[in-house]
Amino acid sequence: MLYHSTRNKALSVSSAEAIAQGISADGGLFVPESIPELRAEDFAALKGLSYAERAARLFKLYLTDFTDEELRECTHNAYETGSFETPAVQEITTLADGSMLLELWHGPTCAFKDMALQILPHFLTRSIKKTGIDREVVILTATSGDTGKAALAGFRDVPGTRIMVFYPEDGVSSMQKRQMQTQEGENVRVCAVKGNFDDCQNGVKAIFTDPDMQKALADSGMQFSSANSINWGRLVPQIVYYVSAYITMLEKGILSDGQRFAITVPTGNFGNILAAWYAKQMGVPIQHLVCASNINKVLTDFIDTGVYDRKRDFHATVSPSMDILISSNLERLLYHMTGGDDAQIREWFTALKTDGRYEIPAELRNRIQAEFSGSFWNDAATKAMIGKVFAENGYLSDTHTAVGICAARDYIANAPEQYPMLIASTANPYKFGAAVLEAIGGDTNADEYEILDRLQAKSGMQIPKALAELKTKEVRFSDTVAQDEMPAYVKAKLGIA
Ligand SMILES: *Cc1c(COP(=O)(O)O)cnc(C)c1O
């Protein structure tokens, strides 16, 4: 399987090269030349297997320059060495209204990002060796909160790698900030940026694509790569969990073979929902995809109108990991849905950069609407839904998941036909403790650790160990820079000034 750049179809690289590079030098994202299809017997063969075994078999379809042994080693290291608190790795919970939550947050940092970022370092270090370049990899990551911590946890003390994470100064929850500032490890660094997530992401992208910076790095025996969902090595583990969830629903008798279901995904960078779309293309019987947003509703507007317009106010919400106006992975969807029209993709994404907007033709918009719908929900609706779900089920959902539940219920209420609904549950509620406690009627006038205790007392749900123990950890990183200071900061910290 070869990979093309969304902005240059003539460029073909191996999966190892796609993962090692992270993003194509032309600014495009790597996409598979074709999407493998699973037949009924392939699905049947995945039944009864552990998550790690399923994952290894599915990775083989995409990462064709890895051996079976290598893939199994990677999935073992990621999913079978105790970093996930549940042996199944992911869990499915059914709510009283019949909808199901796919809990993807049982990993070490309590958000779904662990599903991919526990395995990406294993893919990446092997990919670097395969491409024959023996350089130290510098992972540069912009985060709206959860990617940063999950990447730090995944890459911590991995030989041959260093990692630097940039987060928006006021754009993450206090627990997310604590998690990053206290990160242990010899090869890690964390820095706040004055600005929002898009400023961080633009800063990182500019450093990546700066030829002088690349040369300075190469001269020092280093090269950049990305742990953001622009890296194919992050997307492919996400496809796996949707396929695996389908198999688990078959095993549990929730679905019958081939029975169609719908999926709702709380969305920011469009990575998680795109993974569900790939799973659908592979043959998982997904009837419809619901894209849930908070009031940074650029995707809802895009799906409704065909106009992508990032020129709008940015809002900080109680679901900060979705406070994003540039959803990078949409580029991959548009590439596939235009039949690989790289010239068209270049035109749209150049326009996005220079004019802040692009518009797709009505014909394409209609095809997107046939597969996706979108809706957006403000903080009040989000908190009300957390309260409602708790009252109805005694179940705590985090703020992002609650946005998803709002969108799913709205979709079901208006859908012409009914299908079982699977909602991606993207974070442990304790990660966004203050908003969740407030939503269930608790008193939030307390520090973040007292809030955890109060939430536990009220809900009976156990505080995750990884969050409870932050209290005693030393703050190691408290630097803050402006976006235009990021290149100098990176050079200084890498010692290549
Ligand atoms: C990252 C994140 C999202 C958004 O996922 P995308 O892949 O960026 O669309 C949603 N919820 C949580 C908790 C996240 O960490």
Side-chain angles (χ1 to χ4, degrees), residues 111-113 146 266-272 321-322 324 398 400 426-427:
F112 85 88
K113 307 291 201 294
D146 291 330
T267 300
N269 219 3
F270 209 76
N272 202 1
S321 301
M322 293 155 62
I324 290 177
D398 101 287
H400 306 76
T426 50

Side-chain angles (χ1 to χ4, degrees), residues 2-6 29-33 232 278 332 335-336:
L2 290 174
Y3 290 78
H4 301 311
S5 162
T6 48
L29 307 188
F30 290 115
V31 281
E33 60 184 341
W232 180 252
Y278 276 117
R332 285 190 164 110
Y335 176 88
H336 289 298

Side-chain angles (χ1 to χ4, degrees), residues 110-113 144-147 176 229 234-235 238 241 265-274 299 319-322 324 327 329 398-401 424-428 431-432:
C110 307
F112 85 88
K113 307 291 201 294
S144 55
D146 291 330
T147 293
Q176 288 177 314
S229 56
R234 249 194 75 181
L235 224 54
Q238 297 189 245
Y241 58 67
V265 185
T267 300
N269 219 3
F270 209 76
N272 202 1
I273 193 166
L274 181 70
L299 288 167
S319 46
S321 301
M322 293 155 62
I324 290 177
S327 302
N329 274 294
D398 101 287
T399 47
H400 306 76
T401 305
S425 175
T426 50
N428 185 307
K431 248 189 137 158
F432 305 93

Side-chain angles (χ1 to χ4, degrees), residues 79-390:
Y79 302 123
E80 294 178 325
T81 51
S83 48
F84 285 81
E85 62 176 18
T86 154
V89 180
Q90 57 185 6
E91 297 289 343
I92 296 174
T93 296
T94 305
L95 298 179
D97 72 346
S99 62
M100 292 166 283
L101 295 173
L102 176 59
E103 296 176 353
L104 299 167
W105 40 260
H106 293 285
T109 76
C110 307
F112 85 88
K113 307 291 201 294
D114 289 325
M115 301 293 288
L117 281 164
Q118 282 294 304
I119 198 159
L120 181 67
H122 302 291
F123 285 160
L124 191 64
T125 46
R126 283 169 178 78
S127 293
I128 295 283
K129 290 215 179 78
K130 283 180 195 297
T131 55
I133 309 163
D134 194 15
R135 291 195 191 136
E136 192 176 22
V137 193
V138 179
I139 303 293
L140 216 54
T141 291
T143 184
S144 55
D146 291 330
T147 293
K149 178 62 189 182
L152 290 162
F155 281 96
R156 169 188 174 177
D157 294 330
V158 171
T161 72
R162 295 205 216 180
I163 172 159
M164 289 177 118
V165 168
F166 292 96
Y167 68 91
E169 189 177 23
D170 301 314
V172 299
S173 80
S174 52
M175 199 46 84
Q176 288 177 314
K177 193 179 280 189
R178 283 267 170 195
Q179 280 187 298
M180 290 189 279
Q181 290 182 330
T182 56
Q183 177 64 45
E184 292 163 350
E186 293 306 311
N187 63 341
V188 304
R189 176 148 302 266
V190 174
C191 181
V193 175
K194 294 174 195 147
N196 61 36
F197 170 71
D198 290 316
D199 300 321
C200 293
Q201 177 155 273
N202 288 337
V204 164
K205 272 191 190 161
I207 295 172
F208 263 128
T209 45
D210 175 358
D212 291 339
M213 188 69 117
Q214 286 173 357
K215 185 172 180 307
L217 229 64
D219 290 346
S220 308
M222 294 183 250
Q223 90 173 56
F224 285 129
S225 190
S226 167
N228 280 96
S229 56
I230 52 175
N231 193 320
W232 180 252
R234 249 194 75 181
L235 224 54
V236 72
Q238 297 189 245
I239 301 172
V240 166
Y241 58 67
Y242 288 110
V243 178
S244 181
Y246 170 57
I247 304 294
T248 302
M249 289 189 287
L250 295 178
E251 286 171 344
K252 290 188 170 177
I254 296 171
L255 298 178
S256 52
D257 284 323
Q259 187 183 347
R260 306 193 76 77
F261 64 104
I263 291 186
T264 299
V265 185
T267 300
N269 219 3
F270 209 76
N272 202 1
I273 193 166
L274 181 70
W277 181 83
Y278 276 117
K280 179 183 172 192
Q281 305 312 301
M282 291 176 76
V284 177
I286 297 167
Q287 177 67 24
H288 197 73
L289 291 154
V290 180
C291 174
S293 300
N294 62 30
I295 54 168
N296 294 295
K297 61 180 180 68
V298 66
L299 288 167
T300 309
D301 291 344
F302 174 72
I303 293 168
D304 286 349
T305 65
V307 176
Y308 195 101
D309 188 351
R310 69 167 166 83
K311 291 174 298 171
R312 56 178 74 209
D313 290 337
F314 176 93
H315 302 283
T317 73
V318 292
S319 46
S321 301
M322 293 155 62
D323 290 348
I324 290 177
L325 295 180
I326 302 173
S327 302
S328 305
N329 274 294
L330 194 56
E331 180 166 344
R332 285 190 164 110
L333 180 77
L334 293 176
Y335 176 88
H336 289 298
M337 291 195 77
T338 55
D341 189 346
D342 53 357
Q344 182 63 79
I345 299 294
R346 270 200 309 276
E347 188 188 312
W348 286 334
F349 286 85
T350 306
L352 181 64
K353 194 161 183 202
T354 54
D355 316 329
R357 93 191 268 286
Y358 61 88
E359 179 167 6
I360 60 168
E363 172 277 326
L364 176 57
R365 185 194 66 211
N366 293 341
R367 281 192 288 124
I368 291 175
Q369 287 174 351
E371 294 193 76
F372 292 89
S373 49
S375 64
F376 70 97
W377 304 88
N378 64 19
D379 283 356
T382 305
K383 287 185 208 162
M385 185 55 81
I386 293 172
K388 195 161 187 244
V389 169
F390 185 64

Side-chain angles (χ1 to χ4, degrees), residues 382-447:
T382 305
K383 287 185 208 162
M385 185 55 81
I386 293 172
K388 195 161 187 244
V389 169
F390 185 64
E392 288 169 0
N393 304 273
Y395 181 90
L396 275 188
S397 83
D398 101 287
T399 47
H400 306 76
T401 305
V403 171
I405 301 173
C406 287
R409 291 195 178 183
D410 178 67
Y411 174 75
I412 291 167
N414 297 299
E417 280 177 273
Q418 297 296 321
Y419 297 91
M421 175 61 82
L422 184 70
I423 303 162
S425 175
T426 50
N428 185 307
Y430 281 98
K431 248 189 137 158
F432 305 93
V436 174
L437 181 62
E438 188 196 328
I440 62 167
D443 174 7
T444 56
N445 188 11
D447 74 15

